[in-house]
Amino acid sequence: MEPRDQAFMADKLEALHQDKAEFCYLICRAIGARRIFEAGTSFGVSTLYLAAAVRDNGGGTVFGAEYEPDKVKRARANFEAAGLASFIDLREGDVVAAAEHFAAPIDFVLFDIWGHMVGPLLPILLPRLRPGAVICTDGAGGENPRSSAYAPLFELVDNPASGLRLMTLPFQGGFTLTVKL
Protein backbone atom coordinates (compact mmCIF):
# COMPACT_ATOMS: atom_id res chain seq x y z
CA MET A 1 0.00 0.00 0.00
CA GLU A 2 1.22 3.51 -0.73
CA PRO A 3 2.26 5.46 2.41
CA ARG A 4 -0.45 8.09 1.83
CA ASP A 5 -3.11 5.37 1.56
CA GLN A 6 -1.82 3.66 4.67
CA ALA A 7 -1.91 6.95 6.59
CA PHE A 8 -5.50 7.53 5.45
CA MET A 9 -6.62 4.05 6.57
CA ALA A 10 -4.76 4.14 9.93
CA ASP A 11 -7.85 5.08 11.96
CA LYS A 12 -10.60 3.63 9.75
CA LEU A 13 -12.76 0.80 11.01
CA GLU A 14 -12.49 -2.03 8.54
CA ALA A 15 -14.66 -4.91 9.65
CA LEU A 16 -15.97 -8.10 8.15
CA HIS A 17 -19.72 -7.82 7.60
CA GLN A 18 -21.76 -9.55 10.28
CA ASP A 19 -23.11 -12.26 7.96
CA LYS A 20 -19.58 -13.20 6.88
CA ALA A 21 -18.33 -13.16 10.47
CA GLU A 22 -21.20 -15.44 11.55
CA PHE A 23 -20.42 -17.73 8.61
CA CYS A 24 -16.77 -17.95 9.72
CA TYR A 25 -17.89 -18.70 13.28
CA LEU A 26 -20.07 -21.57 12.05
CA ILE A 27 -17.36 -23.00 9.79
CA CYS A 28 -14.87 -22.88 12.66
CA ARG A 29 -17.35 -24.65 14.92
CA ALA A 30 -18.10 -27.27 12.26
CA ILE A 31 -14.43 -28.15 11.72
CA GLY A 32 -13.53 -27.92 15.41
CA ALA A 33 -11.01 -25.13 14.75
CA ARG A 34 -8.62 -24.47 17.61
CA ARG A 35 -5.76 -22.80 15.72
CA ILE A 36 -6.87 -19.87 13.60
CA PHE A 37 -4.80 -17.36 11.65
CA GLU A 38 -6.41 -14.02 10.88
CA ALA A 39 -4.90 -11.56 8.44
CA GLY A 40 -6.67 -8.23 8.87
CA THR A 41 -7.47 -7.52 12.52
CA SER A 42 -8.22 -3.76 12.50
CA PHE A 43 -10.28 -3.17 15.67
CA GLY A 44 -10.89 -6.88 16.20
CA VAL A 45 -14.52 -7.33 15.18
CA SER A 46 -14.02 -10.53 13.19
CA THR A 47 -11.41 -11.66 15.71
CA LEU A 48 -14.12 -11.77 18.36
CA TYR A 49 -16.25 -14.15 16.27
CA LEU A 50 -13.21 -16.38 15.67
CA ALA A 51 -12.23 -16.32 19.35
CA ALA A 52 -15.79 -17.22 20.36
CA ALA A 53 -15.59 -20.24 18.05
CA VAL A 54 -12.25 -21.29 19.56
CA ARG A 55 -13.69 -20.90 23.06
CA ASP A 56 -16.80 -22.88 22.11
CA ASN A 57 -14.58 -25.58 20.58
CA GLY A 58 -12.84 -26.10 23.91
CA GLY A 59 -9.93 -23.65 23.61
CA GLY A 60 -7.12 -22.65 21.33
CA THR A 61 -5.69 -19.52 19.74
CA VAL A 62 -6.63 -16.90 17.19
CA PHE A 63 -3.36 -15.45 15.95
CA GLY A 64 -3.08 -12.17 14.08
CA ALA A 65 -1.16 -8.96 13.62
CA GLU A 66 -2.11 -5.35 13.15
CA TYR A 67 0.25 -2.69 11.84
CA GLU A 68 -1.41 0.36 13.41
CA PRO A 69 -0.57 0.76 17.14
CA ASP A 70 -3.84 2.58 17.93
CA LYS A 71 -5.87 -0.20 16.34
CA VAL A 72 -3.92 -2.77 18.37
CA LYS A 73 -4.78 -0.93 21.59
CA ARG A 74 -8.43 -0.63 20.68
CA ALA A 75 -8.66 -4.25 19.52
CA ARG A 76 -7.10 -5.51 22.76
CA ALA A 77 -9.56 -3.40 24.76
CA ASN A 78 -12.40 -4.97 22.75
CA PHE A 79 -11.01 -8.46 23.44
CA GLU A 80 -10.86 -7.76 27.19
CA ALA A 81 -14.36 -6.26 27.24
CA ALA A 82 -15.75 -9.34 25.50
CA GLY A 83 -13.94 -11.72 27.86
CA LEU A 84 -12.13 -13.38 24.95
CA ALA A 85 -8.60 -11.97 25.29
CA SER A 86 -7.21 -15.28 26.56
CA PHE A 87 -7.99 -16.90 23.19
CA ILE A 88 -6.24 -14.22 21.09
CA ASP A 89 -2.57 -13.66 20.32
CA LEU A 90 -2.45 -10.27 18.59
CA ARG A 91 0.95 -9.00 17.55
CA GLU A 92 1.71 -5.40 16.70
CA GLY A 93 3.48 -5.13 13.36
CA ASP A 94 3.64 -6.66 9.93
CA VAL A 95 1.33 -9.63 9.46
CA VAL A 96 3.71 -11.40 7.06
CA ALA A 97 6.57 -11.26 9.55
CA ALA A 98 4.24 -12.32 12.36
CA ALA A 99 2.97 -15.29 10.36
CA GLU A 100 6.39 -16.90 10.65
CA HIS A 101 5.73 -17.32 14.39
CA PHE A 102 2.45 -19.23 14.16
CA ALA A 103 3.16 -22.93 14.13
CA ALA A 104 1.27 -25.78 12.52
CA PRO A 105 -1.28 -27.17 12.41
CA ILE A 106 -3.58 -24.38 11.28
CA ASP A 107 -7.28 -25.21 11.12
CA PHE A 108 -8.71 -21.99 9.69
CA VAL A 109 -7.42 -18.85 7.97
CA LEU A 110 -9.32 -15.62 7.43
CA PHE A 111 -7.96 -13.21 4.85
CA ASP A 112 -9.76 -9.97 5.64
CA ILE A 113 -6.95 -7.79 4.40
CA TRP A 114 -5.79 -5.94 1.32
CA GLY A 115 -5.49 -8.48 -1.48
CA HIS A 116 -1.82 -7.78 -2.19
CA MET A 117 -0.95 -9.29 1.21
CA VAL A 118 -2.35 -12.72 0.31
CA GLY A 119 0.49 -13.57 -2.08
CA PRO A 120 3.27 -13.18 0.53
CA LEU A 121 1.25 -15.02 3.19
CA LEU A 122 0.34 -18.09 1.17
CA PRO A 123 3.82 -19.72 1.08
CA ILE A 124 4.12 -19.26 4.85
CA LEU A 125 0.68 -20.56 5.79
CA LEU A 126 -0.04 -23.32 3.25
CA PRO A 127 2.52 -25.85 4.54
CA ARG A 128 1.03 -25.42 8.00
CA LEU A 129 -2.58 -26.14 7.03
CA ARG A 130 -3.93 -29.45 8.23
CA PRO A 131 -6.03 -31.58 5.88
CA GLY A 132 -9.58 -30.24 6.02
CA ALA A 133 -8.41 -26.73 6.91
CA VAL A 134 -10.49 -23.87 5.56
CA ILE A 135 -9.42 -20.50 4.17
CA CYS A 136 -12.05 -17.77 3.89
CA THR A 137 -11.16 -14.72 1.83
CA ASP A 138 -13.13 -11.48 1.95
CA GLY A 139 -13.22 -9.24 -1.09
CA ALA A 140 -12.05 -11.96 -3.48
CA GLY A 141 -14.92 -11.62 -5.88
CA GLY A 142 -16.10 -9.11 -8.36
CA GLU A 143 -16.07 -9.34 -12.11
CA ASN A 144 -12.51 -10.56 -12.61
CA PRO A 145 -11.07 -11.98 -9.37
CA ARG A 146 -8.36 -13.98 -11.14
CA SER A 147 -6.74 -10.77 -12.36
CA SER A 148 -7.15 -8.95 -9.03
CA ALA A 149 -4.79 -8.67 -6.08
CA TYR A 150 -6.06 -12.14 -5.11
CA ALA A 151 -4.62 -13.69 -8.29
CA PRO A 152 -1.96 -15.68 -6.34
CA LEU A 153 -4.71 -17.53 -4.48
CA PHE A 154 -6.62 -18.33 -7.65
CA GLU A 155 -3.44 -19.40 -9.48
CA LEU A 156 -2.58 -21.74 -6.63
CA VAL A 157 -6.06 -23.24 -6.48
CA ASP A 158 -6.16 -23.65 -10.26
CA ASN A 159 -3.16 -25.98 -9.99
CA PRO A 160 -4.56 -29.49 -9.30
CA ALA A 161 -1.39 -30.41 -7.41
CA SER A 162 -2.14 -27.78 -4.75
CA GLY A 163 -4.70 -29.99 -3.04
CA LEU A 164 -7.01 -26.99 -2.63
CA ARG A 165 -10.59 -26.47 -3.77
CA LEU A 166 -12.17 -23.01 -3.90
CA MET A 167 -15.76 -21.89 -4.11
CA THR A 168 -16.95 -18.31 -4.45
CA LEU A 169 -19.86 -17.71 -2.11
CA PRO A 170 -22.76 -15.32 -2.77
CA PHE A 171 -21.89 -12.71 -0.14
CA GLN A 172 -21.87 -9.02 -1.03
CA GLY A 173 -18.41 -7.79 -1.98
CA GLY A 174 -17.04 -11.23 -2.77
CA PHE A 175 -16.12 -14.03 -0.41
CA THR A 176 -14.44 -17.35 -1.08
CA LEU A 177 -14.15 -20.59 0.83
CA THR A 178 -11.12 -22.76 0.12
CA VAL A 179 -10.58 -26.23 1.57
CA LYS A 180 -7.31 -28.12 1.82
CA LEU A 181 -8.18 -31.65 0.72
Side-chain angles (χ1 to χ4, degrees):
M1 187 182 320
E2 295 293 323
R4 66 176 154 63
D5 296 332
Q6 188 161 350
F8 175 77
M9 294 304 295
D11 63 348
K12 305 301 183 275
L13 172 62
E14 292 291 317
L16 198 63
H17 292 156
Q18 182 176 352
D19 57 349
K20 294 174 184 177
E22 289 176 359
F23 177 81
C24 289
Y25 170 86
L26 289 174
I27 292 293
C28 287
R29 291 287 286 139
I31 66 170
R34 290 175 166 258
R35 298 190 47 76
I36 296 174
F37 184 89
E38 179 187 35
T41 302
S42 190
F43 293 112
V45 175
S46 54
T47 315
L48 292 172
Y49 282 87
L50 300 174
V54 165
R55 176 201 60 206
D56 296 346
N57 284 339
T61 303
V62 178
F63 183 92
E66 174 55 52
Y67 187 78
E68 297 298 332
D70 187 53
K71 286 185 177 182
V72 171
K73 272 193 246 174
R74 292 175 70 181
R76 287 182 177 148
N78 291 336
F79 304 157
E80 288 292 334
L84 293 168
S86 65
F87 301 101
I88 302 165
D89 181 357
L90 178 62
R91 309 286 174 97
E92 184 177 324
D94 178 68
V95 69
V96 176
E100 295 284 355
H101 301 284
F102 192 53
I106 298 173
D107 303 309
F108 182 87
V109 174
L110 174 60
F111 287 129
D112 182 20
I113 197 165
W114 303 107
H116 70 280
M117 298 299 294
V118 172
L121 284 166
L122 285 172
I124 298 167
L125 298 175
L126 287 177
R128 300 174 188 179
L129 295 177
R130 69 158 170 87
V134 172
I135 302 170
C136 284
T137 308
D138 189 31
E143 293 180 26
N144 219 350
R146 282 179 162 71
S147 64
S148 72
Y150 295 99
L153 175 64
F154 287 100
E155 289 169 12
L156 181 66
V157 171
D158 287 344
N159 177 354
S162 73
L164 300 171
R165 294 290 306 265
L166 180 143
M167 173 180 270
T168 300
L169 303 176
F171 287 104
Q172 182 180 354
F175 198 75
T176 63
L177 179 132
T178 304
V179 176
K180 180 176 181 181
L181 303 176

